[in-house]
Amino acid sequence: MAEVLLCLFFLTTFLGFVAGQQTNCSVPVGASLTATPGVTPWLSSSSDFAFGFQQLQGNDNFLLSIWYDKIPDKTIIWYPETSATVSRGSKVELIDQRGIVLTDPQGREVWSTSGSFSDLACGFMNDTGNFEILGNNSGKIWESFSYPADTLLPTQVMEIRGQINSKKNKTNFSRGRFQLRLLPNGNLVLNIRDIFSNFPLNPYYVSGTFDADNSTNSGYQLIFDATGYMYILRRNGQKYDLTPRDALPSGDYYHRATLDPDGLFTQYYHPKNPTGNASWAVIWSEPKEVCFNGRIGSGACGLNNVCSLDGNRPKCECPRGFSLLDSNDPNGDCNRDFSPRCDEGYAGDLFDFIELNNTNWPGTDYAHIIPTNEQSCKNSCTEDCFCAVAVFANDQCWKKALPLTNGKKTSSENVKTFLKYQKDERPLQRPPPFLKEKDQRSLVLVGSVLLGTCVFVIVVLIGVICLGFFLIYKKKPTYPYASSKAAESNLPRFTYQELVEATNGFKDELGRGAFGIVYKGVIGTNIVAVKKLDRVVEDGEKEFKTEVNVIARTHHKNLVQLLGYCDDGEQRLLIYEYMNNGTLAAFLFKDMKPSWKERSYIGVGVAKGLAYLHEECSTQIIHCDIKPQNILLDDYYNAKISDFGLAKLLLMNQSRTNTGIRGTKGYVAPEWFRNTPVTVKVDVFSYGVLLLEIISCQKSVVFDSDKEYVEVLTDWAWDCYHEGRVDALVENDMEGLDDLERVTTFVKIGLWCVQENPSLRPTMRKVVQMLEDFEVTDPPCPCPLFCTSI
Ligand SMILES: *[C@@H]1O[C@H](CO)[C@@H](O)[C@H](O)[C@H]1NC(C)=O
Ligand SMILES: *[C@@H]1O[C@H](CO)[C@@H](O)[C@H](O)[C@H]1NC(C)=O
């Protein structure tokens, strides 16, 4: 009897098991997939859809997703919205009691299905594109259709409070700005969300399927039926068509409706058995007005961006004076290239306007003046520090502040849009990113065609083009706009390969310094100096960015301008403007003494540059290595300090001496050798030595036979000054001897600067003042010990 009972028990268990086992089960409990290239996904029975890891473009990022497996581009239709991409070696597993669990290569859980999985039997990739988890007794206990990402498929239904979100852009599957929602009042809406709070902003599309009384008329389901027909179902059974009647193509097609990264909700179709290079075609999309104005929110394009039509899509373009915050996201926000200033010192006369063609940000004004004229409109914007843009049309004036929203191209002739800028930061028409060979070739091509017709025209044409380039490139260095940006500054970033090309494989060496070798290069039409840094702090990536940003923010006539940088793995390079007249060292210590006038002008320039670094730029910069090799001369013999801002990259703690001495023998201040803090006064000391060199055209140190250096210049200068023989310092220099008052002033300043006691040295600001006013008291002996021993 017991055997019979036992047998019966096994039989029922077995039968129950067979009955519970869903006929279509394709993914058993315990099945798993590992994110590696080419791993076989879990397929639906017809192989139309696959569930697994898709490798994203050219790197080791994988996305857990569902896609169309039979069409070449493997279009993704679902992904867990909250998990970003995962790296190679991540794993997805169907676990009893848990459902689907995604873990990273370290085994940490990244995402899992939510719900109750006590009855879990198996997983199943349905031919509809729906991944289902089936229970032993209860049918579906989880399905991907209930957690849509950016796409709906035929047979999928969205209920009240359902929503889908666009992805950020083509390649980034993080949640984007746009949402499609079915509201409790029955309306289907498209809206932008505030990405920081996730709060939905004003809709830019509304279906109108609502009923104020929430009665029979209101919509309650968005239905995408099996034939590919999409509509809103009202409570009274009526349908509100989204797919126009008769719009569906006949034949065997895949259908999907996706909220695209540009904000358009679009129904697409694709032949199931593609011939040739078939692709997705559009059946319909919403909104119809693609450059919509949502009032609140950025508009179709990001903040400060401007929308125009590109077929049935919005095309976004930053206006002149702005550039993309994220170059991978052309529909995203634009950042102002120049700094808006609204501080106490605001002075309207420092500002001017450029006119932006056919551009407006309608409905985002904070002031509206009627009636007025164009000049008064501009004036009121000039005076008003918050005003960023003034629009004048039909005797009316609108003023707008940043950020500008709902930007779009207008065709209206009589609307004039003026962008305000500070005069010394005039936004340039950006040159094309590198003047590519291709472009040059097409110029030549155009040229040859014209040559066939009229030689005269081409001569004139070339003249005009040359003049154009001359004016554009000569007046102000405009720099090719590279693909990415330095954090917080718009400094172009270059790849190492671009710089290898720009310098012809680092062929032409310009010089060697404490930080690396400098090479000559050409970027676009500009000659540049490329400094290859060789001794940057380890793990200093962040510091590097920070320092580059500090340097990038310095703008002064007497500083070499940083034009770009490269931060490619190990390779750190800085790109500077190229200085035609070489270093001050070469200039001063050549056989023919340069003129005193030029020398004194250079001396003042260096002082001004240093004063700026110490006191006027936003982050104080101590140079630490002022010497004639680090001063460059431009076409007009303006002194330009180079290599500033780099000291920190080698030496993180500037205020201590025990971290090693920076600087060059003969120019370093004595406190480097003592346990006293290092301050801006070390630069003042070096400047003093430099100034004495500029006066005398003598090197500050000479090497004796044992290759030991002896400092002579400061001692000699003190002796000359002390003994009233300043003229000896400018021996045989007629121009200097004629200008002895200035020479004496400069010598006194030099001696003040090289005082052994840092607190006796003047600040650089004071130095500039003394150089210009000639009012200097008599300096004490720079080195008291030396003097007493005399
Ligand atoms: C697959 O989807 C179809 C259509 O929704 C549904 O009828 C069927 O039951 C699903 N298959 C399973 C095994 O759940
Ligand atoms: C995608 O965008 C998000 C949000 O802006 C960002 O944090 C993430 O790094 C991006 N991912 C990739 C792979 O670029």
Side-chain angles (χ1 to χ4, degrees):
M1 192 59 197
E3 284 91 340
V4 175
L5 272 180
L6 197 64
C7 199
L8 216 66
F9 172 75
F10 274 124
L11 196 65
T12 45
T13 315
F14 178 70
L15 283 178
F17 180 70
V18 168
Q21 187 81 327
Q22 303 281 335
T23 47
N24 285 318
C25 258
S26 53
V27 183
V29 168
S32 69
L33 294 172
T34 304
T36 44
V39 60
T40 312
W42 296 332
L43 291 172
S44 69
S45 59
S46 66
S47 300
D48 282 339
F49 289 96
F51 177 101
F53 288 106
Q54 226 188 73
Q55 189 173 12
L56 298 179
Q57 281 182 340
N59 56 30
D60 261 2
N61 286 337
F62 291 80
L63 185 70
L64 179 66
S65 51
I66 298 172
W67 63 87
Y68 290 96
D69 201 53
K70 278 184 179 167
I71 61 177
D73 71 359
K74 314 266 179 201
T75 313
I76 290 175
I77 52 96
W78 179 89
Y79 41 92
E81 241 222 311
T82 46
S83 83
T85 51
V86 291
S87 46
R88 182 196 285 249
S90 298
K91 191 171 138 187
V92 66
E93 191 174 5
L94 183 65
I95 301 178
D96 196 18
Q97 310 287 326
R98 300 266 345 253
I100 302 167
V101 177
L102 173 64
T103 47
D104 69 11
Q106 289 74 40
R108 287 176 300 224
E109 188 174 316
V110 178
W111 172 83
S112 68
T113 47
S114 55
S116 158
F117 298 96
S118 52
D119 188 36
L120 196 157
C122 64
F124 177 65
M125 185 67 249
N126 197 321
D127 266 330
T128 55
N130 189 15
F131 189 88
E132 302 165 358
I133 299 176
L134 304 174
N136 284 312
N137 305 309
S138 46
K140 283 184 270 196
I141 53 181
W142 185 91
E143 56 182 333
S144 58
F145 272 11
S146 298
Y147 301 89
D150 63 349
T151 297
L152 299 175
L153 294 180
T155 75
Q156 194 164 0
V157 173
M158 183 191 276
E159 308 283 349
I160 293 277
R161 292 198 173 81
Q163 71 173 57
I164 61 175
N165 296 281
S166 66
K167 58 185 183 186
K168 191 151 184 275
N169 56 48
K170 257 197 172 125
T171 53
N172 188 329
F173 289 78
S174 296
R175 194 179 268 203
R177 283 186 292 146
F178 304 100
Q179 299 184 314
L180 174 81
R181 297 182 302 144
L182 185 59
L183 302 185
N185 68 9
N187 262 336
L188 183 73
V189 299
L190 286 166
N191 62 267
I192 293 182
R193 71 188 176 98
D194 173 50
I195 54 169
F196 301 100
S197 64
N198 200 31
F199 189 82
L201 305 176
N202 284 10
Y204 57 89
Y205 162 82
V206 180
S207 65
T209 50
F210 78 110
D211 193 311
D213 310 324
N214 205 16
S215 57
T216 56
N217 234 351
S218 64
Y220 81 107
Q221 277 184 328
L222 171 64
I223 292 177
F224 202 178
D225 77 13
T227 65
Y229 175 62
M230 185 179 268
Y231 57 91
I232 299 167
L233 184 62
R234 298 180 190 264
R235 290 182 198 276
N236 61 8
Q238 285 177 344
K239 296 172 180 175
Y240 175 87
D241 295 338
L242 288 166
T243 310
R245 299 256 157 209
D246 310 323
L248 286 183
S250 56
D252 219 4
Y253 291 99
Y254 294 122
H255 289 278
R256 69 181 167 99
T258 301
L259 179 52
D260 291 319
D262 60 9
L264 261 61
F265 184 49
T266 309
Q267 182 176 345
Y268 294 93
Y269 70 102
H270 191 291
K272 281 196 179 173
N273 299 306
T275 48
N277 40 6
S279 62
W280 290 102
V282 174
I283 299 177
W284 60 271
S285 70
E286 288 290 354
K288 301 290 183 236
E289 180 66 62
V290 286
C291 292
F292 62 80
N293 183 340
R295 293 271 154 194
I296 294 182
S298 55
C301 301
L303 297 170
N304 299 324
N305 213 334
V306 179
C307 178
S308 57
L309 287 183
D310 179 18
N312 65 338
R313 297 267 151 195
K315 176 178 150 205
C316 305
E317 249 178 317
C318 293
R320 189 167 155 193
F322 293 78
S323 47
L324 283 176
L325 200 56
D326 175 357
S327 54
N328 293 321
D329 194 6
N331 291 31
D333 301 336
C334 304
N335 214 354
R336 208 162 137 144
D337 292 339
F338 45 99
S339 42
R341 307 243 166 87
C342 209
D343 46 31
E344 259 180 52
Y346 179 83
D349 53 3
L350 294 179
F351 291 85
D352 205 347
F353 295 95
I354 47 169
E355 190 172 343
L356 301 175
N357 297 329
N358 306 328
T359 303
N360 199 358
W361 290 269
T364 61
D365 323 285
Y366 70 91
H368 185 190
I369 305 156
I370 349 174
T372 185
N373 59 40
E374 187 178 319
Q375 195 52 49
S376 319
C377 180
K378 282 177 163 179
N379 288 350
S380 86
C381 186
T382 311
E383 300 293 311
D384 178 350
C385 85
F386 282 105
C387 180
V389 164
V391 175
F392 178 76
N394 304 324
D395 299 329
Q396 304 180 42
C397 178
W398 291 265
K399 291 200 287 183
K400 299 170 193 297
L402 295 175
L404 303 156
T405 62
N406 292 298
K408 58 167 109 178
K409 287 278 175 199
T410 62
S411 48
S412 180
E413 290 283 307
N414 58 1
V415 175
K416 290 187 165 182
T417 301
F418 302 102
L419 173 72
K420 190 170 79 174
Y421 68 91
Q422 190 161 320
K423 279 175 190 160
D424 58 3
E425 295 181 303
R426 180 177 171 81
L428 294 152
Q429 204 85 355
R430 193 167 288 123
F434 290 92
L435 195 58
K436 291 210 183 89
E437 275 170 50
K438 204 176 78 197
D439 305 333
Q440 282 161 348
R441 267 204 302 277
S442 54
L443 262 184
V444 171
L445 189 69
V446 169
S448 357
V449 170
L450 284 176
L451 192 66
T453 44
C454 179
V455 176
F456 175 72
V457 171
I458 188 172
V459 169
V460 172
L461 193 71
I462 289 175
V464 169
I465 291 173
C466 292
L467 186 69
F469 277 118
F470 178 79
L471 289 179
I472 293 171
Y473 289 105
K474 190 74 184 175
K475 238 185 139 176
K476 210 169 183 186
T478 65
Y479 268 81
Y481 179 66
S483 49
S484 8
K485 63 183 189 65
E488 292 154 17
S489 78
N490 288 309
L491 193 67
R493 176 174 177 165
F494 295 87
T495 64
Y496 186 66
Q497 195 49 40
E498 282 168 340
L499 295 181
V500 169
E501 282 159 26
T503 56
N504 200 2
F506 300 105
K507 255 205 181 130
D508 195 354
E509 189 178 316
L510 291 173
R512 283 165 188 260
F515 307 89
I517 307 174
V518 187
Y519 301 89
K520 194 169 175 176
V522 178
I523 292 177
T525 54
N526 303 288
I527 302 178
V528 295
V530 177
K531 176 170 291 239
K532 216 174 167 185
L533 302 179
D534 55 12
R535 290 203 287 136
V536 255
V537 273
E538 297 161 14
D539 303 326
E541 196 185 335
K542 214 176 133 217
E543 286 82 1
F544 180 71
K545 285 248 167 64
T546 314
E547 290 313 302
V548 164
N549 276 317
V550 168
I551 300 171
R553 280 198 296 265
T554 57
H555 296 279
H556 192 276
K557 194 179 120 186
N558 297 109
L559 299 180
V560 175
Q561 184 65 42
L562 184 66
L563 304 172
Y565 73 105
C566 162
D567 187 14
D568 239 5
E570 302 271 83
Q571 306 292 352
R572 306 256 168 84
L573 297 94
L574 298 174
I575 298 111
Y576 290 101
E577 53 181 340
Y578 173 76
M579 290 295 128
N580 259 331
N581 279 321
T583 70
L584 177 59
F587 179 74
L588 276 187
F589 308 131
K590 60 186 179 189
D591 291 339
M592 275 278 291
K593 267 193 190 181
S595 87
W596 166 241
K597 214 172 172 183
E598 274 172 344
R599 272 145 55 210
S600 58
Y601 178 63
I602 289 167
V604 175
V606 176
K608 285 183 174 168
L610 268 179
Y612 171 85
L613 288 179
H614 289 176
E615 292 178 44
E616 287 156 47
C617 60
S618 51
T619 311
Q620 183 184 62
I621 296 174
I622 307 180
H623 190 294
C624 293
D625 198 13
I626 287 291
K627 58 180 175 181
Q629 287 78 8
N630 283 336
I631 312 295
L632 303 178
L633 301 173
D634 75 1
D635 292 357
Y636 309 100
Y637 293 93
N638 287 305
K640 302 252 186 185
I641 301 172
S642 75
D643 265 6
F644 57 89
L646 297 180
K648 270 202 190 154
L649 291 177
L650 290 184
L651 165 89
M652 294 322 293
N653 192 345
Q654 280 194 343
S655 59
R656 308 285 321 159
T657 50
N658 56 7
T659 35
I661 293 165
R662 292 275 314 109
T664 305
K665 280 178 178 175
Y667 302 90
V668 293
E671 58 266 35
W672 282 110
F673 304 99
R674 304 203 186 109
N675 200 18
T676 47
V678 168
T679 66
V680 288
K681 293 294 181 68
V682 299
D683 285 348
V684 179
F685 184 93
S686 308
Y687 175 78
V689 177
L690 184 82
L691 187 61
L692 295 173
E693 289 185 325
I694 289 174
I695 297 164
S696 64
C697 295
Q698 299 288 328
K699 289 184 184 165
S700 73
V701 295
V702 288
F703 292 90
D704 65 15
S705 50
D706 299 332
K707 296 250 186 284
E708 283 287 312
Y709 75 100
V710 234
E711 278 176 60
V712 288
L713 183 59
T714 47
D715 303 345
W716 181 45
W718 167 251
D719 290 346
C720 293
Y721 168 75
H722 191 59
E723 293 159 20
R725 294 188 291 114
V726 170
D727 55 333
L729 287 166
V730 286
E731 215 179 1
N732 301 329
D733 183 344
M734 287 314 292
E735 222 191 335
L737 291 170
D738 274 354
D739 193 11
L740 216 49
E741 189 196 357
R742 189 188 304 269
V743 173
T744 311
T745 307
F746 277 36
V747 171
K748 284 204 239 175
I749 295 168
L751 291 172
W752 271 116
C753 290
V754 296
Q755 290 298 316
E756 166 143 342
N757 179 352
S759 64
L760 289 180
R761 295 173 213 153
T763 63
M764 284 314 299
R765 185 201 293 260
K766 179 77 184 155
V767 168
V768 172
Q769 199 188 341
M770 294 189 296
L771 288 169
E772 287 177 342
D773 298 350
F774 285 26
E775 277 178 28
V776 195
T777 53
D778 292 333
C781 173
C783 170
L785 265 179
F786 172 69
C787 296
T788 47
S789 73
I790 272 186

